[in-house]
C-alpha cells in the first residue's frame, strides 16, 4: 500500500493550515461560503501567515459559525435544486449523490466535480491502508448502488487500487453467498445489519460462515460496527475481523477503524480538521469527554463543508497507537446521534445502548424499537424475534433478560413483545428498526 | 465531445492490423490463446508485415477457429475459477463481472485489468460521441448495479466525461420518476422493458412523461430497442428519441445507434474487427444478407476474444451515412439470437418478431410467450395483459388482432390467453418473457 501518513501532530497541523488556505482561495465564487468567510475574516493570506499551532487553529475556527444539516436543506429548498454551496459552474459537476434522509426526512443532494471525486478516492486509499488491505484481497459490495455515497466510493477506491472488486446489486442473499464462495472473496463491505442478515440466510441453508473465505468485514452506515455486542456477534458468526468505517454523503469518507486499534475510529486528519465540541457550550471537549463531531473537509473543493456539525456523539483520545498515524481516535466509535437521543424517565438513552443489550443475547435474530408518548412521558416498547427452532421457554427467557438489563442499566421498564420468526422486516442497507407513533 | 474517428475504411483497416499485431504480441502468457495463435501461425511480425487489405484480413481470420460461449464456459469449469483466458497474473485484475446466464444457464465470469477497464471507458466515450451526447446532458441509471457489465461501464464512462450522472439502484419506480423530475434528467439508460415499465407507473400516478425533461433513452440488454413497434411505443410515450446500444459482458460495449441513423447499430470498428458469417457455411455474408455477428476485440488485453461468435443475427450494410464514421451498420439492429430461434410449423420464428406484432397494439401492457411441444411439434401460446381500465370487448379485440397478424406473417395459429392487469411479472433489467415447459 503506497500511502504515507504524517508522523506527528505538528506535521498534520502544518498541512491543515496549508490545505485550508488553498481551499479558501478557491471559494471565490461559492455563494454559500463567501459571506461566512468574509464575516470570519478568513482569507488565504491570513491563514497562511498565521503560525500553525493548535491554539491559533482554535481561534481561527471560533470565528466561523457552525453549520448544520438543516441549514443546507433549507438552502437547497430556497435555491433549487442544488443550493448555493457550489464553487464552480454547474456544468463542472459530474456526480450527484444524496443522503438517505431517514433522520430529517428531507434528503440532501450533493454534487461532486471530478476533482472532488478524486479526493474521495484518495480518502479511500488511506482508509484501506489503515485497515491493512492486502493486494490479494478480493472485495464484494452486496447492495444496490443507489444515490447514497458510502460504499459506492469504497468500491471505486478499491478497484482503482487494483484489488478485485465485485458489485453484487440486485441479487438475492443466497446468490451473494454463492458469489462469495465461488470467488473466494476475502472482504465483505456492508452494513452491520446486512452482515447479520447474510448469516441468517447462511444458517437456513446449512452454510457454516466461520469456514468461509471472508477474513474481514468492513461495515458502515449504522452505529452497529462499534456496538460491542453487535460487533462480537458478527465476528463470531463469520470468524472474521470487523472494521468500522464512518463517512457521510455530504462530508465524504473520513474515519476508519485501524488494523492495530480494534473498537475505535481514527479520523483522517490529513483530509479534514476535527473539532469535538460540547453541544451546549460549543467548547472543545477534553480527552475522554463526549461531544459532537464537527468536521471541516479540506479536499472536496466543489462543495466543501467548514465546521459542519455532524450530529454524531463521540469521545476523543489523542493518545496514539503503535503503528498508526497520529490521528484523533474516537473511542468506541460513534456513540449515537444528537437527534436520536431519547429521554426516558429522565434518562438519556440512545437506540445504540438498547441494541448493545439486545445483541448480547445471541438467540435474538431481529428486533424493533418503538417509542411512544404515554401521559406526556416517552415510553419504549421492543419487539423481539428469536431464531427459528427455539422453544417458547427459551424465547420468554430472552425477553426477560433484555427487560432486566434495560432496567439495571437505564432505570426504566421496557415493554417486550415476542414475535414469530420472519415477522420483522429484514434490511440490505441501513436498518429502520425505530418506529415512532 | 473530443473524439475523432477514421474518415475511411482503409484508415480503419490500417489501425486494425496495427492493433491486432500489438494485441497478439501481448498474449505470450495467455494459455487460452497461445495454442490457437500457434496453429493459426499468427505472430505480431507476420500481421504487421501483411499489407492491410480487406482480402488479407479475411485470409488471416480464416486461419483462426471461431470461439463460442460454450467453449468459454467449459474452460472456466475445467480451470476454475476464471478459466485460462488470462494474459496476466490473477493479481493484475481489478474488476470481476459476469453474464446474466439466462440463455445457456451457466454464467460466464469475466475479469478486467485496469488497462482493460480503461479500454471499456474509451469505447463508451466513442459511443456517447456517436449518440450526440451534450455537455449539458444529465443521465440517470435506474438499476441495481449487479455483476453484469453493461450500463455499469456506461455510468462510469459518462461520469468520466464530466456529465452529471445519477445512480438510482435499490429504489422504487416512483422514487426514480421523482428523481428524474427533481434533477431535470435528460437521458435515461435502461432496458426497453424498463422504459415501458416506468411509463406504466407514471400513468398510474397521473404523470405525463411526454412533458418530462428526458430527451433521449439509451437502451440495451434486449432486442427491443430496434423492434420498430417497441421503439415507437417508447418514443411516443416519453416524447424522446430511443438510442439502441449493443455490448456483451465478455466482449465489451461495441455498437451504438448514431444520432444520424435511427434504427441501425454502428459497430465501433476502431475497437474491434467485425465479421458477419453465414452460420452454416461460415462464409462472410454480402451487403443486405443476414448472418451471425463475430467479433475480435482489440483493446481488452486482459481477456481478449478473437473471432467470438456472438450468436446475434444481423444484416450488415457498408454504405455510410452522412456525418457518421465509416463503420459497418447493422440494419434494424440485432434481429435475434441463433439460440433463440424457434421452428414453428416449419417457419423460423424469433421471439422478437412476435414482440414486434404484440407491441404494435398500444393497449397491451405486458405479455409472456410460452413454447411447448405438442405431438412432436413446437407450439406457441401467448399471455396478454391489457392496460387497466379497458373493457372486455377492447381486450378481446386486441387478442384477435394479434392472432390474425401472427397467422398472416408467420403462418401459424397462436393460442392467446388474456390475463387481468397486474398479473404478469414486471422487470427492472432484462425481461424474462419466454417460458418453456
Amino acid at each position: 500500500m503506497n500511502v504515507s501518513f504524517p508522523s506527528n501532530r505538528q506535521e498534520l497541523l502544518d498541512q491543515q493550515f496549508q490545505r485550508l488556505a488553498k481551499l479558501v482561495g478557491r471559494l471565490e465564487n461559492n455563494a454559500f461560503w463567501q459571506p461566512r468567510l468574509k464575516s470570519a475574516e478568513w482569507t488565504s493570506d491570513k491563514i497562511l501567515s498565521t503560525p500553525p499551532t493548535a491554539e491559533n487553529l482554535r481561534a481561527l475556527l471560533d470565528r466561523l459559525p457552525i453549520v448544520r444539516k438543516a441549514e443546507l436543506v433549507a438552502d437547497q429548498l430556497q435555491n433549487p435544486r442544488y443550493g448555493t454551496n457550489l464553487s464552480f459552474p454547474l456544468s463542472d459537476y459530474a456526480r450527484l449523490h444524496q443522503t438517505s434522509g431517514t433522520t430529517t426526512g428531507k434528503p440532501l443532494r450533493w454534487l461532486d466535480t471530478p476533482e472532488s471525486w478524486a479526493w474521495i478516492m484518495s480518502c479511500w486509499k488511506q482508509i484501506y491502508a489503515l485497515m491493512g488491505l492486502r493486494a490479494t484481497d478480493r472485495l464484494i459490495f452486496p447492495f444496490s448502488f443507489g444515490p447514497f455515497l458510502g460504499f459506492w466510493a469504497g468500491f471505486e477506491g478499491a478497484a482503482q487500487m487494483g484489488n478485485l472488486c465485485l458489485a453484487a446489486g440486485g441479487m438475492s442473499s443466497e446468490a451473494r453467498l454463492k458469489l462469495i464462495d465461488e470467488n473466494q472473496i476475502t472482504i465483505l463491505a456492508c452494513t452491520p445489519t446486512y452482515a447479520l442478515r447474510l448469516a441468517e440466510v447462511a444458517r437456513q441453508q446449512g452454510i457454516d460462515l466461520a469456514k468461509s473465505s471472508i477474513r474481514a468485514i468492513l461495515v458502515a452506515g449504522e452505529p452497529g460496527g462499534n456496538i460491542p455486542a453487535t460487533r462480537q456477534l458478527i465476528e463470531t458468526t463469520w470468524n472474521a475481523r470487523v472494521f468500522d468505517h464512518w463517512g457521510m454523503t455530504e462530508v465524504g469518507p473520513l474515519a476508519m477503524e485501524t488494523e492495530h486499534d480494534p473498537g475505535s475510529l481514527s479520523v483522517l486528519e490529513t483530509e479534514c480538521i476535527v473539532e469535538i465540541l460540547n453541544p451546549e457550550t460549543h467548547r472543545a471537549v477534553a480527552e475522554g469527554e463526549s461531544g459532537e463531531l464537527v468536521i471541516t473537509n479540506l479536499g472536496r473543493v466543489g462543495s466543501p463543508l467548514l465546521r459542519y456539525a455532524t450530529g454524531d456523539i463521540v469521545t476523543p483520545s489523542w493518545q496514539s497507537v503503535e503503528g498508526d498515524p497520529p490521528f484523533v481516535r474516537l473511542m468506541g466509535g460513534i456513540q449515537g446521534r444528537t437527534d436520536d437521543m431519547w429521554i426516558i424517565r429522565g434518562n438519556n438513552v440512545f437506540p445504540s445502548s438498547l441494541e448493545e443489550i439486545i445483541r448480547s443475547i445471541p438467540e435474538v435474530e431481529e428486533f424493533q424499537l418503538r417509542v411512544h408518548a404515554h401521559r406526556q412521558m416517552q415510553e419504549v416498547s421492543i419487539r423481539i424475534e428469536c431464531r427459528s427452532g427455539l422453544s417458547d421457554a427459551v424465547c420468554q427467557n430472552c425477553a426477560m433478560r433484555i427487560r432486566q438489563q434495560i432496567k439495571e442499566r437505564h432505570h426504566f421498564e421496557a415493554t417486550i413483545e415476542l414475535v414469530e420468526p420472519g415477522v420483522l422486516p429484514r434490511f440490505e442497507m441501513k436498518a429502520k428498526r425505530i418506529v415512532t407513533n
Side-chain angles (χ1 to χ4, degrees), chain A:
Chain A
M1 201 74 43
N2 215 353
V3 175
S4 72
F5 291 109
S7 58
N8 59 62
R9 293 200 60 82
Q10 185 57 50
E11 223 179 285
L12 263 179
L13 265 173
D14 289 346
Q15 285 184 15
Q16 289 175 341
F17 273 75
Q18 297 264 348
R19 298 275 301 275
L20 187 63
K22 199 171 163 192
L23 175 69
V24 166
R26 296 185 68 196
L27 302 184
E28 279 181 359
N29 299 313
N30 189 309
F32 187 86
W33 289 112
Q34 267 311 309
R36 288 171 170 84
L37 295 174
K38 281 219 177 85
S39 66
E41 295 176 5
W42 275 30
T43 64
S44 293
D45 289 347
K46 190 156 176 181
I47 296 168
L48 273 182
S49 62
T50 306
T53 66
E55 294 68 34
N56 288 345
L57 184 61
R58 180 78 268 141
L60 199 63
L61 292 169
D62 276 343
R63 291 219 299 271
L64 196 74
I66 280 172
V67 172
R68 295 194 168 272
K69 187 171 174 183
E71 251 177 284
L72 301 174
V73 170
D75 176 51
Q76 294 196 347
L77 280 173
Q78 284 156 23
N79 304 280
R81 355 191 126 73
Y82 306 109
T84 58
N85 185 6
L86 297 171
S87 314
F88 308 108
L90 207 50
S91 58
D92 285 10
Y93 292 79
R95 287 185 99 117
L96 167 57
H97 291 93
Q98 65 182 42
T99 62
S100 48
T102 43
T103 313
T104 63
K106 212 64 197 162
L108 191 63
R109 303 188 188 107
W110 216 254
L111 294 178
D112 283 301
T113 61
E115 182 187 1
S116 285
W117 190 252
W119 173 76
I120 291 172
M121 296 295 104
S122 80
C123 292
W124 268 103
K125 282 172 197 163
Q126 294 175 60
I127 285 166
Y128 283 128
L130 291 175
M131 78 170 275
L133 189 77
R134 304 166 194 162
T136 51
D137 277 322
R138 299 174 182 188
L139 299 89
I140 192 166
F141 297 80
F143 48 79
S144 291
F145 296 79
F148 65 94
L149 183 97
F151 282 135
W152 236 130
F155 174 85
E156 265 200 48
Q160 283 191 15
M161 292 175 74
N163 279 77
L164 195 67
C165 291
L166 182 48
M171 308 181 87
S172 66
S173 294
E174 289 80 357
R176 287 164 174 170
L177 287 168
K178 211 172 147 211
L179 273 186
I180 288 172
D181 181 51
E182 281 175 353
N183 296 290
Q184 293 286 296
I185 300 291
T186 61
I187 295 180
L188 166 68
C190 61
T191 57
T193 292
Y194 193 61
L196 290 173
R197 168 66 184 150
L198 276 178
E200 181 188 7
V201 174
R203 256 195 320 275
Q204 287 161 357
Q205 300 213 309
I207 298 169
D208 182 4
L209 287 184
K211 294 183 182 143
S212 84
S213 50
I214 297 289
R215 75 165 184 90
I217 302 177
L218 172 54
V219 297
E222 292 174 341
N226 267 321
I227 296 175
T230 304
R231 184 181 175 87
Q232 204 194 324
L233 187 60
I234 299 172
E235 292 197 329
T236 310
T237 313
W238 284 87
N239 184 29
R241 164 84 188 268
V242 163
F243 285 90
D244 198 19
H245 162 66
W246 177 88
M248 291 176 123
T249 292
E250 63 272 41
V251 297
L254 285 174
M256 187 63 198
E257 176 177 332
T258 75
E259 203 177 357
H260 311 292
D261 187 21
S264 305
L265 286 168
S266 282
V267 189
L268 274 190
E269 289 182 274
T270 45
E271 306 304 330
C272 67
I273 295 169
V274 175
E275 299 172 82
I276 297 156
L277 305 182
N278 180 304
E280 280 153 36
T281 65
H282 284 197
R283 299 281 295 269
V285 304
E287 173 108 13
E289 286 177 16
S290 74
E292 183 176 9
L293 181 63
V294 175
I295 293 282
T296 296
N297 56 9
L298 297 169
R300 205 165 179 189
V301 61
S303 327
L305 284 171
L306 310 177
R307 299 203 89 201
Y308 184 62
T310 62
D312 285 324
I313 306 293
V314 297
T315 305
S317 167
W318 287 271
Q319 289 174 27
S320 59
V321 162
E322 172 97 29
D324 276 350
F327 295 152
V328 62
R329 298 158 59 216
L330 311 178
M331 307 310 291
I334 307 295
Q335 290 156 350
R337 290 187 50 79
T338 47
D339 42 11
D340 266 358
M341 198 180 72
W342 300 328
I343 300 172
I344 312 287
R345 310 264 155 187
N347 297 292
N348 295 352
V349 179
F350 286 108
S352 55
S353 49
L354 300 181
E355 176 168 342
E356 165 63 16
I357 291 169
I358 297 164
R359 285 293 185 208
S360 71
I361 315 279
E363 289 89 350
V364 174
E365 190 73 78
E366 261 300 345
F367 66 96
Q368 196 176 63
L369 306 174
R370 188 178 296 251
V371 257
H372 45 104
H374 179 70
R375 295 188 202 157
Q376 270 102 51
M377 305 274 271
Q378 294 272 70
E379 301 219 333
V380 174
S381 59
I382 305 177
R383 301 174 82 193
I384 296 290
E385 185 187 314
C386 284
R387 289 192 185 170
S388 59
L390 299 179
S391 71
D392 271 8
V394 168
C395 298
Q396 291 292 348
N397 181 269
C398 290
M400 190 196 68
R401 280 145 69 201
I402 292 169
R403 200 181 303 113
Q404 275 178 349
Q405 290 189 34
I406 290 175
K407 176 84 185 155
E408 279 166 30
R409 293 200 218 168
H410 298 292
H411 316 291
F412 72 90
E413 296 274 354
T415 313
I416 315 268
E417 181 195 354
L418 282 167
V419 301
E420 291 298 307
V423 164
L424 295 179
R426 301 300 196 261
F427 305 94
E428 303 213 339
M429 287 297 297
K430 292 190 191 198
K432 288 175 191 157
R433 291 204 185 85
I434 301 169
V435 184
T436 46
N437 62 357

